Structures are given as C-alpha cells and as structure tokens.
Amino acid sequence: MTILARILLENLGHIKTCKPTSSSLNNIFTGNIPVVDLSDHTVAKTLIVNACKEFGFFKVINHGISMDLSNKLEAESVKFFKLPKQEKEKSGPPNPFGYGNRNIGPSGDTGLVEYLLMSVVNEYVLAVRNVACEVLEMIAEELHLQARDTLSSLIRDEKSDSCFRLNYYPPCPGLRALSNAQSLIGFGEHTDPQIISVLRSNEVSGFQICLKDGAWVSIPPDPTSFFLNVGDSLQVMTNGRFKSVRHRVLAADTLKSRVSMIYFGGPPLNEKITPLSSVMEEGEESLYKEYTWSDYKNSAYKTKLGDDRLTNFQKPFAQ
C-alpha cells in the first residue's frame, strides 16, 4: 500500500464521504448550462439573467483576462501548497485570512482540501472583479434596475467585504478502491453567502452543482473560462428570482491535484440587504427580512456548510 493510500485510510473517519448516486462524479453534465460570450452584451445579458434564474450558475468566455496571469497565479499557488506543512502553517490560521487545512470554518466541517483565504487586491483579483462587475451591470440593465451600477457599486466600494480564496485538493490515485465506491468530500455542499462568486480551476474535475430537482451533476473543468455563482445576497436582492446555487467539490481519482481560485464579491459590512424595489412587481411581498451584510455574514459562518443559511432571514409566510 502506498503512503498516500495509508494517509487516506487513516483519515476516512475525519473526512466526509458521499455515497454514489445517479449523479455521481462520473455523470458529467451535458445539459444546457449557459456559456456566455461577454463580447456580445446584447445577447449576454439575457443569457445571464435566464441562467441566474434556472441554475444560479453559468460559464463565461471572451472575458478578457490573460491566461498567462491565471496560469502564473496557479503555478505560484501549487508551489506554496507543496511546501512542508510547518512552512505553510506560518501563513495561518485563517482568522479571518490565512492558511487552513481540512477544517472548514468553525462549525466542524471538514474536507480533503487546503486553502488560502486572502483580502489582497492584486492584478488577477482586480481583473476578476472587473468581470464580476461587468456581469452585475448587465444584470442591472436586463432587470431594469434604477442604475446600471446598482449591484456592481457594492463590490467596487472601497469598503467592499470581498475576498479571494485559493483551494488545493491533493491527488487521490486509487480513491474509489480505497473508499468502497464512495467519494471523499473535498469541500462539502453549500451556497456562497456573498453577491456573486467567480471561479477558475485547472483541468482536474470534481466540481458539482445541484439542479432544481436535487440531482448533483459534475461540471467539466475549463481553465480558459470562468464560472460564476449566484450568492445568497443576490437571491435576496432579487426576491428569490435568482437562485443561490448549491455546490460542492468531490476528490477526484487522479494523479494531479485540483487547484481552484475563487473571488467572492461581497458588499460593505454595513450594507443593508433587502429585495430591490425596482425588481418587485406591484403588490409583491418581500420574502426576506432586511439585514446588514455583517449580520448575515456572522450568522452564515456559524452554521454548518450544508445548512440553508437564508431560513433565519425569511419572513414567516415565505418559509
């Protein structure tokens, strides 16, 4: 038995597993997850809004972000994660920013993942934020919001509570044999609490989203493109029209590590989150209580990953 195999077996009691279903890692989704060409705004904004309603998730191409920049950051990330454990731990713990290993948040969630959580704004993060803002401005146009920057201004704000995260999932050759046909959870199912998230990964599979019918499907990786997730806050601001997508990462049976880079676009801590009046139809009731991003953030990060974090913020008649 290899050293890696022994390590996996020793930690199966601490790392959660997922029983195989009809939508297991082998079931690569071939449905109509929208691919949005950002070079054509007229078509893109309609596709984006439809995707946010149906999936809470879509892929963008022609985004204008240099692949050299993305590849350089990925390479530097891999160098860091391959350092000895004691060296990496000098950058931790993630409270709120820094290096973390297996433990995800303060509520006991674990996964086969190492990560860096940062608030820095470098060239890559600035470029990805611009894509997020471009998308949010197209959403504002399509929804006929009062101003084109109604949403984007929240993450362009100098007090924006946005952050950047690097996730590293170690290679797991022979995984299926070790775990008795179960899949190890790299990062457990959850929704993102922020407004919008922008994800880019290398060519290693593992990322899954949950469809409306509850089926989990795997999204083929594409290092040249970016995937965008609707967050809880955007679901609230559209009064439930957009759906915050539930997603997870399963460890892949591969010789190569999975590296993902995620930008989470969040509003300022004191920003009030509530359904936008310009979205609501005449006589439409708000499904959610008004709260600040700080209130929701504090509540969300005290829950388990898989909890429905918005339940406590729904109005009684909407539950």
Side-chain angles (χ1 to χ4, degrees):
M1 182 179 291
T2 66
I3 294 176
L4 176 60
R6 291 194 185 96
I7 292 173
L8 287 172
L9 285 174
E10 288 169 1
N11 287 282
L12 280 175
H14 304 285
I15 305 298
K16 293 182 179 179
T17 61
C18 172
K19 293 183 179 179
T21 67
S22 60
S23 54
S24 66
L25 190 60
N26 289 325
N27 184 20
I28 299 298
F29 187 55
T30 56
N32 296 317
I33 288 289
V35 178
V36 180
D37 184 344
L38 292 184
S39 67
D40 186 346
H41 280 207
T42 302
V43 175
K45 62 184 183 181
T46 301
L47 285 174
I48 289 170
V49 167
N50 289 341
C52 289
K53 291 178 178 178
E54 179 65 23
F55 300 106
F57 175 84
F58 55 95
K59 172 179 173 178
V60 298
I61 60 173
N62 290 327
H63 42 71
I65 298 178
S66 163
M67 285 298 96
D68 287 342
L69 182 61
S70 299
N71 292 335
K72 181 179 179 180
L73 180 56
E74 181 185 313
E76 291 300 315
S77 303
V78 171
K79 284 182 183 178
F80 172 83
F81 287 116
K82 286 186 175 181
L83 289 172
K85 183 180 179 181
Q86 61 186 27
E87 289 296 313
K88 290 182 288 189
E89 289 180 340
K90 292 178 181 179
S91 299
N95 185 30
F97 304 111
Y99 170 75
N101 182 11
R102 295 184 181 167
N103 294 316
I104 303 170
S107 300
D109 291 296
T110 58
L112 198 65
V113 60
E114 298 178 56
Y115 57 91
L116 272 175
L117 193 59
M118 298 175 283
S119 62
V120 296
V121 179
N122 55 25
E123 185 181 359
Y124 176 86
V125 173
L126 182 60
V128 173
R129 187 187 72 175
N130 287 339
V131 168
C133 288
E134 181 181 3
V135 166
L136 290 173
E137 287 166 5
M138 285 191 278
I139 288 173
E141 287 183 4
E142 187 70 5
L143 294 181
H144 306 291
L145 301 187
Q146 293 176 341
R148 191 170 186 268
D149 68 348
T150 297
L151 300 171
S152 63
S153 63
L154 298 177
I155 62 176
R156 289 196 191 277
D157 193 299
E158 62 179 11
K159 295 182 180 180
S160 163
D161 188 41
S162 299
C163 62
F164 178 62
R165 182 179 183 121
L166 291 165
N167 285 344
Y168 175 85
Y169 303 91
C172 298
L175 174 63
R176 291 185 182 87
L178 284 174
S179 56
N180 297 319
Q182 293 183 328
S183 296
L184 291 183
I185 294 293
F187 208 107
E189 64 176 89
H190 63 286
T191 59
D192 295 338
Q194 292 88 354
I195 296 172
I196 199 165
S197 307
V198 186
L199 165 72
R200 187 259 184 191
S201 71
N202 61 0
E203 68 276 16
V204 177
S205 61
F207 183 78
Q208 296 188 325
I209 66 169
C210 188
L211 302 182
K212 284 183 176 180
D213 64 2
W216 285 97
V217 292
S218 294
I219 304 300
D222 180 359
T224 67
S225 302
F226 289 84
F227 296 91
L228 279 79
N229 299 347
V230 170
D232 295 344
S233 296
L234 190 53
Q235 177 172 321
V236 171
M237 295 171 79
T238 61
N239 206 34
R241 288 168 172 78
F242 289 3
K243 300 302 179 184
S244 182
V245 63
R246 187 165 290 272
H247 54 285
R248 67 186 182 186
V249 176
L250 301 185
D253 191 349
T254 176
L255 294 172
K256 187 173 181 180
S257 59
R258 173 181 165 84
V259 179
S260 60
M261 306 183 289
I262 313 101
Y263 170 78
F264 300 98
L269 289 171
N270 63 355
E271 183 70 29
K272 292 181 179 179
I273 307 297
T274 189
L276 299 169
S277 59
S278 51
V279 172
M280 311 270 278
E281 297 178 359
E282 185 176 352
E284 181 178 344
E285 295 283 347
S286 170
L287 300 178
Y288 305 94
K289 306 169 187 176
E290 182 179 276
Y291 56 86
T292 66
W293 166 239
S294 178
D295 292 336
Y296 189 64
K297 181 180 178 181
N298 289 336
S299 172
Y301 287 110
K302 289 177 182 177
T303 63
K304 301 287 290 182
L305 274 178
D307 290 348
D308 185 347
R309 296 162 166 169
L310 280 174
T311 298
N312 292 335
F313 295 85
Q314 287 179 314
K315 290 190 174 180
F317 65 84
Q319 295 183 14

